[in-house]
């Protein structure tokens, strides 16, 4: 038991000495060839070899050169996973003799070991230098270590700031994990605090774009449009100047849709909605060409190449998820794309993505319930891909926001008796229903018998599928769900939803949502500069925003069932 205490004490002494040091400078005596060669082994994935060589080198040196070699050796042993040896060498270093990158490696190693010892204050003392002055090879780890220390000391916003600054340098799982961590940190802030802190962030502070996405998910206004760098700019240089309202459509637009194949049924209302917006515009319109992708990845790539060859300056589509991944996976996209689904990653620079994904319904439902201080919920979802994806997104966001999912119940199309599973959740103040109308009608009385009848019930946009008979849908009364703006209020350039449904079969019933989606795809194409620079665009599916990653975000309107009929909620947000 005494050994760990001795190590911590030695580390603490080193940090106290470090706290009195002068400001770190990147200017230092040049590394010897042997030191440089050993440090290069770390970059080659051989930290243990580097540590052995650096420690041996330190034994041949004196004074500041010895301290620098020991600090670098400690860093290398830490990289190799030998914390005990790293601590031992740190205790032999004279911090006042260190400068430049060796000092920063010493500080970072000390801080990460202090975090392992659950000593965040000591870690912050070691990392007091601004990351702007830190060597680029150490900067991201420095920022993440500061984030962990700040979070451990209760500075939620400071931790989020550091993580946001580190984000651009991360890749793959580390990047997605960091994004989730930022969302969790921001999720602890109430609406008023989030709005105030976001508004106070300076231009081009990386955290602003994360805070903006959190605000939109909660249905709250942006203090200003998203910050954009060169990678998130959209090339509209071939288009004529914008009109007074921001209307600036492409010159020649190609639309890639699966007009044949398994996705053709979904493509028809998207196409009709886009054309309704297109022909509803009396001003200059682009030449438009529809190209069939056949619903396959190879077909989507071939359709993209055909559009480029035909001279298109903007491309809408493709629609399928595999199709989007195939097109976005190209090394270069000479013509920008507005994809109509969510790919595995963010859209490439200069392109955008717009989707009506089940995850979106799950996220906004979680925000709706947390915004009304519901803390313990029951999740019920259909056992299909749509229901599972919505439920997973809900669970992730709800827990990020400090809520608890008491139980998750999956149901088939024919629900059956699930009362025992519902009762097992215990007392809840909210229910998330990622199901269609027939399932919800069967579940409603079972929820009441399970004691959840008085809980706030929120569904997804799927709730209207299978509805339409008020005498049956009275069982749905009181369930809140996200709706398309087109169903609730007028949208410029479109007839009312009821009128359009009488004219076009593709605009009625379940297809109406995809029809509105297609209309918005046209509107985004025609107002791309406006939505990118001014921050919001009123669409048929809701209020649309374009974030710094090229994702179109949507704030829907909310409705409920009353007397078995869908009824708008005036002030749900």
């Amino acid at each position: 038991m005494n050994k760990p205490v001795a190590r911590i004490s030695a580390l603490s002494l080193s940090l106290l000495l470090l706290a009195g040091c002068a400001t770190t400078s990147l200017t230092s005596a040049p590394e010897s060839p042997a030191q440089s060669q050993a440090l290069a082994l770390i970059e080659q994935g051989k930290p243990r070899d580097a540590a052995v060589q650096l420690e041996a080198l330190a034994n041949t040196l004196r004074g500041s050169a010895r301290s620098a070699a020991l600090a670098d050796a400690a860093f290398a042993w830490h990289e190799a996973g030998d914390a005990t040896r790293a601590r031992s060498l740190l205790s032999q270093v004279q911090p006042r003799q260190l400068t430049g990158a060796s000092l920063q490696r010493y500080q970072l190693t000390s801080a990460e070991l202090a975090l392992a010892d659950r000593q965040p204050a000591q870690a912050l003392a070691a990392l007091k230098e601004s990351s702007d002055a830190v060597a680029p090879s150490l900067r991201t780890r420095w920022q993440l270590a500061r984030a962990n220390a700040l979070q451990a000391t209760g500075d939620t916003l400071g931790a989020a700031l550091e993580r946001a600054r580190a984000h651009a340098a991360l890749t793959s799982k580390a990047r997605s994990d960091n994004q989730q961590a930022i969302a969790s940190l921001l999720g602890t802030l109430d609406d008023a605090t989030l709005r105030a802190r976001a508004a106070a962030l300076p231009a081009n502070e990386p955290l602003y774009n994360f805070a903006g996405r959190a605000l939109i998910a909660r249905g709250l206004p942006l203090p200003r449009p998203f910050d954009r760098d060169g990678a998130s700019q959209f090339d509209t240089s071939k288009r004529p100047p914008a009109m007074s309202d921001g209307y600036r459509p492409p010159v020649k637009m190609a639309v890639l849709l699966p007009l044949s194949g398994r996705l053709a049924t979904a493509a028809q209302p998207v196409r009709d909605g886009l054309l309704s917006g297109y022909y509803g515009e009396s001003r200059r319109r682009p030449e438009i060409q529809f190209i069939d992708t056949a619903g396959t990845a190879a077909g989507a790539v071939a359709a993209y190449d055909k559009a480029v060859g035909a001279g298109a300056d903007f491309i809408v589509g493709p629609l399928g998820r595999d199709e989007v991944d195939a097109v976005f996976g190209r090394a270069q996209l000479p013509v920008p794309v507005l994809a109509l689904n969510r790919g595995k990653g963010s859209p490439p620079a200069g392109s955008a993505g717009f989707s009506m994904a089940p995850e979106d319904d799950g996220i906004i439902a979680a925000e709706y319930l947390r915004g009304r201080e519901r803390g313990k919920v029951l999740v019920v979802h259909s056992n299909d891909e749509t229901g599972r994806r919505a439920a997973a997104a809900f669970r992730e966001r709800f827990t990020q926001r400090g809520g608890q999912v008491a139980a998750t119940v999956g149901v088939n199309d024919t629900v059956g008796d699930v009362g025992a599973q519902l009762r097992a959740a215990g007392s809840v103040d909210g229910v998330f229903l990622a199901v269609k109308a027939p399932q919800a009608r069967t579940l409603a009385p079972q929820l009441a018998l399970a004691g959840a009848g008085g809980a706030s019930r929120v569904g997804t946009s799927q709730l209207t599928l299978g509805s339409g008979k008020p005498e049956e849908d009275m069982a749905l009364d009181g369930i809140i769900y996200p709706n398309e703006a087109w169903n609730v209020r007028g949208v410029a350039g479109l007839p009312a939803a009821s009128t359009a449904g009488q004219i076009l079969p593709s605009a009625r019933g379940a297809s109406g949502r995809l029809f509105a989606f297609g209309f918005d795809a046209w509107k985004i194409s025609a107002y791309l500069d406006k939505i990118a620079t001014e921050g919001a665009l009123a669409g048929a599916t809701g209020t649309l925003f374009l974030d710094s990653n090229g994702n179109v975000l949507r704030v829907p309107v909310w409705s409920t069932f009353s007397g078995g009929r869908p009824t708008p909620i005036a002030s749900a947000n």
Side-chain angles (χ1 to χ4, degrees):
M1 293 297 291
N2 291 331
K3 274 193 171 181
V5 173
R7 286 200 301 269
I8 294 171
S9 297
L11 178 60
S12 300
L13 177 60
S14 298
L15 288 170
L16 288 172
L17 289 170
L18 179 62
C21 291
T23 300
T24 301
S25 170
L26 286 177
T27 303
S28 61
E31 298 166 348
S32 68
Q35 189 177 0
S36 297
Q37 290 171 10
L39 288 169
L41 292 172
I42 299 176
E43 300 300 322
Q44 297 169 21
K46 302 175 181 178
R48 181 170 292 274
D49 292 346
V52 170
Q53 292 186 24
L54 287 164
E55 189 172 348
L57 178 64
N59 291 332
T60 69
L61 301 172
R62 293 181 180 276
S64 60
R66 172 180 168 80
S67 283
L70 284 172
D72 291 344
F75 177 82
W77 280 120
H78 181 47
E79 285 286 279
D82 191 337
T84 300
R85 191 62 187 156
R87 292 177 193 274
S88 175
L89 295 186
L90 286 178
S91 68
Q92 302 175 45
V93 173
Q94 298 296 321
R96 292 180 181 277
Q97 296 179 338
L98 298 176
T99 58
S102 289
L103 172 56
Q104 292 171 355
R105 282 189 280 269
Y106 171 83
Q107 292 168 321
L108 181 58
T109 305
S110 300
E112 290 180 342
L113 290 172
L115 286 170
D117 293 334
R118 299 184 181 180
Q119 299 291 336
Q122 292 184 6
L124 288 174
L127 301 173
K128 62 181 180 180
E129 197 71 33
S130 167
S131 61
D132 292 338
V134 175
S137 61
L138 304 175
R139 187 172 298 150
T140 302
R141 274 177 61 177
W142 190 282
Q143 292 162 332
L144 293 176
R146 271 188 58 82
N148 288 329
L150 288 165
Q151 184 175 357
T153 58
D155 186 351
T156 298
L157 190 67
L161 277 166
E162 292 291 350
R163 283 193 171 277
R165 290 168 182 170
H167 193 70
L170 300 174
T171 58
S172 304
K173 187 175 186 299
R175 185 178 179 88
S176 60
D177 288 348
N178 191 58
Q179 184 165 329
Q180 294 303 323
I182 296 171
S184 295
L185 290 164
L186 295 177
T188 65
L189 304 178
D190 60 42
D191 289 357
T193 302
L194 179 61
R195 291 180 68 173
R197 296 297 178 87
L201 292 171
N204 299 316
E205 173 59 62
L207 183 61
Y208 178 76
N209 289 337
F210 290 93
R213 286 189 281 273
L215 287 168
I216 289 171
R218 300 188 195 189
L220 300 172
L222 285 176
R224 64 176 189 271
F226 285 100
D227 294 329
R228 299 190 181 280
D229 57 22
S232 61
Q233 299 294 334
F234 299 93
D235 183 8
T236 55
S237 59
K238 295 180 181 179
R239 305 183 182 192
M243 296 188 177
S244 59
D245 66 344
Y247 180 72
R248 193 185 184 191
V251 175
K252 186 172 184 180
M253 186 169 82
V255 183
L256 315 184
L257 289 175
L259 303 176
S260 62
R262 62 185 180 83
L263 295 176
T265 301
Q268 182 176 346
V270 175
R271 179 200 62 192
D272 291 351
L274 189 149
L275 287 174
S276 292
Y278 177 84
Y279 287 115
E281 178 57 65
S282 59
R283 295 170 290 184
R284 181 189 69 81
R285 296 191 300 263
E287 179 184 341
I288 190 168
Q289 178 184 13
F290 286 85
I291 303 175
D292 185 12
T293 67
T296 68
V301 170
Y304 178 86
D305 290 340
K306 182 176 180 180
V308 173
D313 63 298
F314 193 72
I315 294 173
V316 175
L319 184 64
R321 298 181 80 187
D322 292 343
E323 295 178 305
V324 171
D325 284 332
V327 171
F328 279 176
R330 300 287 292 272
Q332 290 185 333
L333 293 180
V335 177
V337 169
L338 173 65
L340 299 181
N341 209 323
R342 178 174 295 167
K344 292 178 181 177
S346 295
S351 290
F354 179 37
S355 72
M356 299 280 277
E359 289 84 354
D360 298 335
D361 279 357
I363 290 168
I364 58 179
E367 293 290 357
Y368 183 95
L369 287 168
R370 284 303 290 150
R372 284 146 188 81
E373 299 184 352
R374 304 304 186 262
K376 186 178 180 182
V377 302
L378 167 65
V379 174
V380 185
H381 66 83
S382 55
N383 282 325
D384 55 19
E385 183 184 10
T386 298
R388 288 192 296 267
R389 286 168 58 188
F394 175 91
R395 185 184 307 107
E396 181 176 283
R397 179 56 62 92
F398 195 73
T399 53
Q400 283 176 351
R401 295 277 278 117
Q404 176 189 353
V405 174
T408 300
V409 179
V411 297
N412 298 320
D413 287 343
T414 302
V415 173
D417 183 1
V418 293
Q421 294 171 266
L422 302 179
R423 289 191 296 273
S427 177
V428 297
D429 55 12
V431 179
F432 176 55
L433 293 162
V435 297
K436 302 180 182 70
Q439 295 165 308
R441 287 195 293 262
T442 302
L443 286 165
Q446 296 191 53
L447 286 167
L449 289 172
S456 298
R457 295 170 297 162
V458 179
T460 69
S461 53
Q462 297 282 302
L463 190 67
T464 58
L465 299 182
S467 66
K469 297 180 180 179
E471 63 276 14
E472 295 179 358
D473 291 340
M474 289 179 68
L476 307 180
D477 282 5
I479 302 178
I480 312 295
Y481 65 95
N483 203 347
E484 284 68 64
W486 184 44
N487 291 326
V488 175
R489 59 174 182 255
V491 175
L494 266 184
S498 57
T499 302
Q502 294 174 0
I503 301 171
L504 288 171
S506 59
R508 68 177 72 127
S511 298
R513 191 164 187 254
L514 291 172
F515 184 91
F517 177 63
F519 174 86
D520 280 354
W522 156 254
K523 197 159 187 179
I524 294 165
S525 304
Y527 289 88
L528 188 60
D529 285 347
K530 180 181 176 73
I531 189 175
T533 58
E534 296 185 17
L537 184 68
T541 60
T543 304
L544 307 174
F545 300 83
L546 185 62
D547 75 6
S548 58
N549 294 329
N551 296 306
V552 177
L553 309 178
R554 181 177 62 95
V555 176
V557 297
W558 292 91
S559 294
T560 187
F561 279 88
S562 179
R565 291 181 170 84
T567 304
I569 300 175
S571 57
N573 292 327

